[in-house]
Amino acid sequence: MTVSKRFRWSAVLDHSILIMGALLMILPVVMLLQMASTTDVHTMKNGPGLVFGDQLPLNFQKAMFKADGFTGANTGVRMLYNSMILGFGFAIGKIVVGMMAAYAIVYFRLRFATLAFWVIFTTLLLPLEVRILPSYEIVQKLGMLNTYQGLIIPLIASATATFFFRQFFRAIPEELVEAARIDGAGPIKFFVDILVPLSRTMIAAMFIIMFIYGWNQYLWPTMITTDEGMYTLVRGIKQITQVNEGTNLPEYGRSNLLSIIAILPPVLIVIFFQRWFVKGLTESDK
Amino acid sequence: MKRAGFSHRWLPILFLVPQLAIIFVFFYWPALHAIRSSFFLQDPFGFGENFVGLKNYTAMFKSAAYMRSAWFTVIFTVLVTVLSLSIALLLAVKADKVIRGAKTYRTLLMWAYAVAPPVAGVIGLVLFDQSWGPIKDFVALFGWDFRLGVNYFDTAFAMIFVSVWKQLPVNFIFFMSGLQSIPKSVREAALIDNRSASGRFWDVTFPLLAPTGFFLLITNITYALFDTFGIIDTIVKGKPGNNPMTLVYKVYVDGFRGNDLGGSSAQSVVLMILVLALTVFQFRLVERRIHYT
């Protein structure tokens, strides 16, 4: 009797801790959504509350189609489009470049393979943030400010994906490439018909991590894009909160809803592709 | 390299060229450029530069603003790392233990991984809003007159709060996967040996999680140093003023806004050395990493 009772109390405690943790993570976003469902006048007077209003469609329309600034180019739709390009461009670029380099290092007899390896993997040591100004200058010299190339390519200059695929390729049994060679497959055929299909799960896992990473970039887009038509959602939010600062009636509904739209695609990916996401995260970071 | 690898003259080079080209243009060139600029004093109007040796460095370490920012970075990093690691560990242990709703809890605790740092900053602005922020209202009950962006301590508190919140999911996911890799036989043996749950945790689970913990320690330090940029920039609304700022934010403010290229480069080089030291430390830990399974 006492044992079962003590057991139940500890379960209640466990669940309470977990529920508190879950609320801590969720309530802030629910709060943003609630504020986006009432009028801005109401929000300005009362702040976040418990009752949802009926302003969501109106605020959604403002968030997607209204723009501010001089050019009027930074509408929600435009920023969503730019974020998609950054997310997909970065993820695809990084995976393609990384897989190719990893293939060359693992599967070819190269005289300078060790050198190439070290040249590539030194880049894992220094994040973009510590060389941000000279990187900006170089992009400027190359005339790539306010372009998608300038936004995406410098972000690819670190070897996380290459390292990840190198580890994966090395774990593939030697017999596979031997068998392929006996059957007369050349290096390109082996890569396209055997190695790439074999890496499908790895590619999916890597894609999810890289898409989220690219989508959530902030410092680099802030420096590289000054043209409002090039803003991504994550970069554009700052502009809107700053515009809010200077006005008598800040557009809480619009800015909060834009914040939610900015996190929605990556959050949905994490929720629906949870297994691949966890795999990609825990196996790529080590 | 595989023993049965292909030998081909130009194909591997072709495969390596995109990666190497990007790295040379956007990694080695800027990194070397930063190191070089740190020894020069640039003319603010772009008319040449003078070699000044280590003057940028000595000026930096003598600057009260730099040292204040350095101390803030240390305290910020320690607090963010310790708090987010310990809260995430507690949640992971509980989520690993419960049977009912385990999957729901896991999803609810990890989705925020995908929240961009500036959005986390926006959440901070709302939670601590001067007129109706819920947390500001709550702490007011205890007589704490919270002033975000005005009071140094209060602003630092909000930055740490939001940074911990944002990092919880990452730590949770890694602790969860660490816990799940503990073999069932070990758990059962511990169950027989040790009746008390907390005893089992400290004697068996905690040591087995140590490799994950060390790895996360480095990850969290790197996060607090670099990835919190978006949170800090949003919370100070782009106007650093007298507000607390981390070293990375200072590199940006001095170099990009203040046009002090030499000084900013010297700051970058110090950060590079810091990250290098951390990474070397991490590699050594990984080498010595103990596997129990």
Side-chain angles (χ1 to χ4, degrees), chain B:
Chain B
M1 202 206 68
K2 302 266 179 191
R3 264 184 296 113
F6 299 101
S7 19
H8 201 287
R9 194 177 285 274
W10 48 266
L11 200 64
I13 297 171
L14 198 71
F15 275 130
L16 276 171
V17 159
Q19 173 87 72
L20 290 176
I22 293 175
I23 282 177
F24 275 113
V25 177
F26 295 108
F27 183 88
Y28 285 102
W29 190 7
L32 293 175
H33 194 72
I35 296 171
R36 185 184 169 277
S37 309
S38 71
F39 297 108
F40 283 85
L41 190 67
Q42 276 80 10
D43 183 275
F45 302 103
F47 300 119
E49 50 187 8
N50 289 316
F51 182 76
V52 292
L54 289 171
K55 267 196 187 139
N56 284 324
Y57 290 93
T58 47
M60 181 177 82
F61 286 115
K62 274 185 195 150
S63 144
Y66 182 80
M67 290 319 284
R68 205 173 52 192
S69 164
W71 275 113
F72 172 71
T73 310
V74 171
I75 294 164
F76 175 81
T77 306
V78 170
L79 285 176
V80 168
T81 304
V82 170
L83 287 172
S84 66
L85 278 179
S86 43
I87 298 171
L89 179 60
L90 173 72
L91 290 170
V93 168
K94 298 299 179 197
D96 184 55
K97 201 168 138 201
V98 298
I99 298 150
R100 202 174 287 207
K103 207 167 170 246
T104 315
Y105 284 130
R106 239 174 278 167
T107 309
L108 290 177
L109 289 166
M110 69 167 68
W111 67 274
Y113 171 85
V115 174
V119 176
V122 169
I123 290 171
L125 286 179
V126 174
L127 287 174
F128 296 98
D129 187 275
Q130 198 55 72
S131 15
W132 37 250
I135 296 186
K136 177 237 139 206
D137 281 350
F138 178 74
V139 297
L141 297 177
F142 304 95
W144 182 356
D145 181 20
F146 201 98
R147 287 179 183 279
L148 182 67
V150 179
N151 182 303
Y152 185 90
F153 178 82
D154 293 353
T155 313
F157 180 88
M159 285 173 180
I160 291 166
F161 183 93
V162 177
S163 303
V164 170
W165 182 84
K166 169 78 192 86
Q167 185 65 0
L168 278 179
V170 181
N171 295 340
F172 175 80
I173 292 165
F174 277 96
F175 277 134
M176 257 335 255
S177 97
L179 282 168
Q180 280 166 353
S181 67
I182 298 177
K184 219 177 158 206
S185 54
V186 174
R187 292 177 184 226
E188 279 162 2
L191 204 62
I192 296 165
D193 273 358
N194 205 331
R195 280 290 300 273
S196 101
S198 70
R200 280 201 302 276
F201 175 76
W202 291 112
D203 291 344
V204 180
T205 318
F206 193 73
L208 285 174
L209 277 180
T212 312
F214 278 127
F215 163 77
L216 280 178
L217 189 67
I218 306 284
T219 313
N220 278 262
I221 293 173
T222 323
Y223 160 81
L225 286 174
F226 300 106
D227 300 337
T228 50
F229 181 92
I231 295 174
I232 289 165
D233 194 38
T234 316
I235 285 186
V236 302
K237 295 168 185 159
K239 286 174 270 183
N242 284 325
N243 283 315
M245 61 175 133
T246 57
L247 289 173
V248 170
Y249 196 66
K250 198 163 162 51
V251 170
Y252 168 77
V253 169
D254 288 357
F256 202 56
R257 300 252 189 87
N259 256 328
D260 174 15
L261 217 58
S264 169
S265 299
Q267 293 182 27
S268 295
V269 172
V270 169
L271 282 175
M272 284 185 199
I273 294 167
L274 199 66
V275 189
L276 276 177
L278 273 175
T279 319
V280 170
F281 182 62
Q282 183 182 15
F283 276 151
R284 298 196 55 159
L285 276 178
V286 171
E287 269 172 25
R288 276 196 231 146
R289 202 148 152 189
I290 308 155
H291 292 281
Y292 293 92
T293 48

Side-chain angles (χ1 to χ4, degrees), chain A residues 10 20 31 58 61 68 84 153 165 184 194 196 245 251:
Chain A
S10 86
M20 277 184 348
M31 176 185 77
L58 185 74
Q61 187 162 2
D68 37 33
M84 284 288 175
I153 299 173
F165 282 112
I194 298 176
V196 171
E245 274 297 286
E251 292 182 296

Side-chain angles (χ1 to χ4, degrees), chain A residues 164 167-168 202 278-286, chain B residues 174:
Chain A
F164 182 68
Q167 303 293 85
F168 177 67
M202 285 291 141
V278 171
K279 188 181 171 66
L281 189 68
T282 50
E283 288 180 15
S284 68
D285 263 5
K286 281 178 189 170
Chain B
F174 277 96

Side-chain angles (χ1 to χ4, degrees), chain A residues 162-265:
Chain A
T162 316
F163 193 65
F164 182 68
F165 282 112
R166 174 182 170 263
Q167 303 293 85
F168 177 67
F169 290 162
R170 276 159 61 107
I172 291 175
E174 196 93 15
E175 288 75 20
L176 197 71
V177 64
E178 280 170 15
R181 292 188 69 176
I182 291 166
D183 285 347
I188 296 207
K189 194 171 171 54
F190 176 72
F191 185 60
V192 175
D193 288 347
I194 298 176
L195 212 52
V196 171
L198 206 66
S199 320
R200 266 189 320 229
T201 324
M202 285 291 141
I203 295 174
M206 199 81 252
F207 184 87
I208 289 172
I209 300 300
M210 292 302 162
F211 178 82
I212 297 172
Y213 184 86
W215 180 282
N216 283 349
Q217 281 303 305
Y218 177 67
L219 175 56
W220 185 245
T222 302
M223 295 178 72
I224 291 303
T225 59
T226 44
D227 177 354
E228 285 164 347
M230 288 295 294
Y231 282 12
T232 61
L233 279 168
V234 173
R235 188 247 185 271
I237 283 165
K238 179 184 173 187
Q239 170 100 353
I240 289 150
T241 49
Q242 276 176 357
V243 170
N244 272 354
E245 274 297 286
T247 52
N248 292 327
L249 181 56
E251 292 182 296
Y252 290 113
R254 175 167 166 247
S255 65
N256 288 348
L257 211 50
L258 267 175
S259 302
I260 289 173
I261 295 167
I263 63 173
L264 206 57

